[in-house]
């Protein structure tokens, strides 16, 4: 198009036409086709049928529209609300039931934390400070893990993270996890310590559990999208609520275990 | 481009050139320019300087690349890990400190729940079942709220939700919230009821608190992106961890209030 506008009206088409470097087949997937064109540095290409006959020219406007739908789809999938359909076009009950199916499953998984807490009930009753900081622990670790998985999903989508540098990415996130764990452990030690009625040991327990849960959440949040990508599954299907739920349950388990080890002999 | 490929080589350029319907200015923002071109159904346009002189032709490939970066940026921002920079190109400490600044602020906000729990300590000690289902309540409501805000952010990005149908969207999410609240209340009543040591009243307390927190989270998760958009802020800046944190604190407050109202007279 650029060459069209910068040539005089009597230039022949044959002089400005560029041979298409990419030929798409009718059955090609949109996302993959868009990625091939982007890599080749072009935005339109002929589409041929099974016998190699030209059936259409891929329109760059269609491609843009399709990419925008794919991209906003990703946010919906990341949040676990499905995607691919229009908002007002989907019947309300269908929309609610699809979302609730997912929410109820996660609720049941999340309720595992009550089983763990019941098991450690005597420690908690003697050290109520543990129950007071449960949601702070699980919420913070969930946020940290989600940040990592969002960065990895983004890196895989742009191609910055690929099979050649996957291990470098995992190693980088492991280092990030350790630094974040130190900072967040210190912040939670200070926060618990400031609470009337808390002990030094209880502050240490919450602080150690925070560090361990953050490291676990970041590593899990990094490794899962990388693994999904390895097995050909779009990593954006790794939804954020799934990570948050697993972090909740493992956070409760880690805090109860650490607390019972540190505090069981203390009044 | 389509017309180029379907014409014979001796067609004159003047016969296939289409007058450009959109002219971009040098200072135009990428996102806004892309949206204008998409609405006009074209994917390239001349770019002019302040005096109206042609300085460049917008390349559709650049546009595609830029849109992909914008789109993956959105996932990063939605998760609260910033965006706009490359993953490996950002120094590790800068990456970690930016993420941790946000995490520590949310940790402090989240620790408000310990203040609320301390205030209601006597009810919790008598009815430990409340502490057992805290993370299930806050996690589920957070997931429900995030689903709604992701749907609204997506709808605003594709233009399906706009100033003309904002109230219809809010009303639709309000209805969805009520249905989801009934389903999730029933599921949590059943789950608490199944727990050894729980009472009928404690199950009702968790179930009522779940319904109220879900409705609050969905309405807040819907209204905030709509309000941000109204005031010209990109709604994707409404990060998911912020909603999760607010849901955690309000969920704890609602559960404690409901439980102390229903259970305070009971042993």
């Amino acid at each position: 198009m650029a060459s069209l506008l910068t040539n005089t009206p009597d230039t022949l088409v044959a002089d400005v036409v560029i041979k298409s470097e990419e030929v798409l087949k009718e059955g090609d997937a949109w996302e993959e086709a868009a990625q091939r064109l982007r890599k080749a540095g072009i935005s339109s290409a002929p589409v041929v049928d099974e016998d190699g006959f030209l059936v259409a020219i891929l329109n760059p406007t269609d491609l843009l529209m399709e990419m925008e739908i794919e991209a906003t789809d990703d946010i919906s999938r990341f949040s676990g609300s499905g995607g691919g359909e229009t908002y007002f076009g989907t019947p309300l009950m269908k929309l609610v039931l699809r979302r609730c199916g997912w929410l109820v499953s996660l609720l049941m998984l999340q309720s595992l934390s009550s089983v763990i807490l019941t098991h450690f009930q005597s420690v908690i009753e003697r050290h109520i400070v543990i129950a007071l900081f449960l949601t702070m622990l699980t919420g913070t670790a969930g946020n940290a893990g989600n940040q990592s998985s969002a960065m990895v999903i983004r890196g895989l989508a742009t191609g910055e993270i690929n099979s050649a540098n996957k291990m470098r990415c995992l190693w980088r996130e492991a280092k990030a996890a350790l630094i974040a764990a130190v900072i967040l452990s210190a912040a939670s030690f200070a926060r618990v310590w400031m609470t009337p009625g808390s002990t030094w040991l209880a502050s240490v327990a919450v602080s150690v559990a925070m560090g361990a849960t953050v490291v676990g959440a970041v590593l899990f949040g990094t490794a899962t999208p990388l693994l999904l990508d390895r097995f050909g599954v779009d990593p954006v299907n790794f939804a954020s609520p799934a990570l948050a739920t697993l972090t909740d349950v493992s956070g409760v388990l880690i805090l109860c275990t650490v607390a019972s080890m540190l505090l069981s002999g203390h009044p």
Side-chain angles (χ1 to χ4, degrees), chain A:
Chain A
M1 202 57 97
S3 52
L4 275 192
L5 282 158
T6 48
N7 277 291
T8 50
D10 54 329
T11 311
L12 292 181
V13 165
D15 298 335
V16 291
V17 152
I18 306 145
K19 240 193 135 183
S20 185
E21 298 131 76
E22 279 285 348
V23 177
L24 302 173
K25 294 221 176 73
E26 272 190 306
D28 286 351
W30 266 111
E31 260 193 349
E32 191 232 336
Q35 206 152 23
R36 269 166 60 198
L37 295 187
R38 194 169 47 74
K39 277 188 186 147
I42 49 179
S43 66
S44 66
V47 182
V48 299
D49 66 10
E50 277 184 352
D51 305 316
F53 284 109
L54 184 74
V55 288
I57 304 290
L58 185 74
N59 181 332
T61 312
D62 289 345
L63 194 60
L64 276 178
M65 176 76 90
E66 190 58 33
M67 284 196 64
E68 186 160 287
I69 291 171
E70 289 286 348
T72 56
D73 233 42
D74 288 354
I75 292 184
S76 299
R77 284 196 263 170
F78 190 66
S79 75
S81 37
E85 288 176 63
T86 64
Y87 177 73
F88 287 116
T90 313
L92 184 65
M93 273 315 280
K94 192 181 165 195
L95 199 77
V96 175
L97 290 181
R98 189 176 55 197
R99 290 200 231 167
C100 280
W102 183 222
L103 291 175
V104 169
S105 314
L106 291 176
L107 180 148
M108 289 303 162
L109 188 60
Q110 227 140 8
S111 75
L112 265 180
S113 60
S114 76
V115 178
I116 300 164
L117 287 165
T118 309
H119 184 74
F120 290 94
Q121 199 163 332
S122 65
V123 185
I124 297 163
E125 280 170 350
R126 270 178 297 127
H127 303 275
I128 196 79
V129 74
I130 294 167
L132 303 184
F133 289 102
L134 259 184
T135 60
M136 183 187 86
L137 171 80
T138 56
T140 302
N143 290 344
N146 265 330
Q147 284 185 343
S148 294
S149 59
M151 298 293 276
V152 173
I153 290 170
R154 186 188 179 204
L156 287 165
T158 58
E160 200 191 348
I161 298 171
N162 49 52
S163 47
N165 61 15
K166 264 181 189 178
M167 290 317 290
R168 195 176 142 218
C169 165
L170 195 59
W171 176 233
R172 191 175 157 89
E173 284 302 310
K175 285 186 287 184
L178 285 177
I179 306 169
V182 170
I183 295 172
L184 296 171
S185 288
S188 42
F189 179 87
R191 184 60 191 80
V192 179
W193 184 240
M194 279 162 22
T195 305
S198 77
T199 62
W200 188 84
L201 263 182
S203 310
V204 172
V206 174
S207 166
V208 168
M210 176 68 85
T213 313
V214 165
V215 169
V218 167
L219 289 182
F220 187 79
T222 306
T224 314
L226 290 176
L227 273 176
L228 287 180
D229 186 62
R230 169 78 187 70
F231 291 108
V233 181
D234 186 347
V236 86
N237 285 310
F238 176 56
S240 143
L243 175 72
T245 303
L246 284 170
T247 308
D248 276 8
V249 175
S250 58
V252 168
L253 181 62
I254 292 173
L255 180 57
C256 285
T257 309
V258 171
S260 84
M261 273 164 28
L262 287 179
L263 305 174
S264 58
H266 296 263

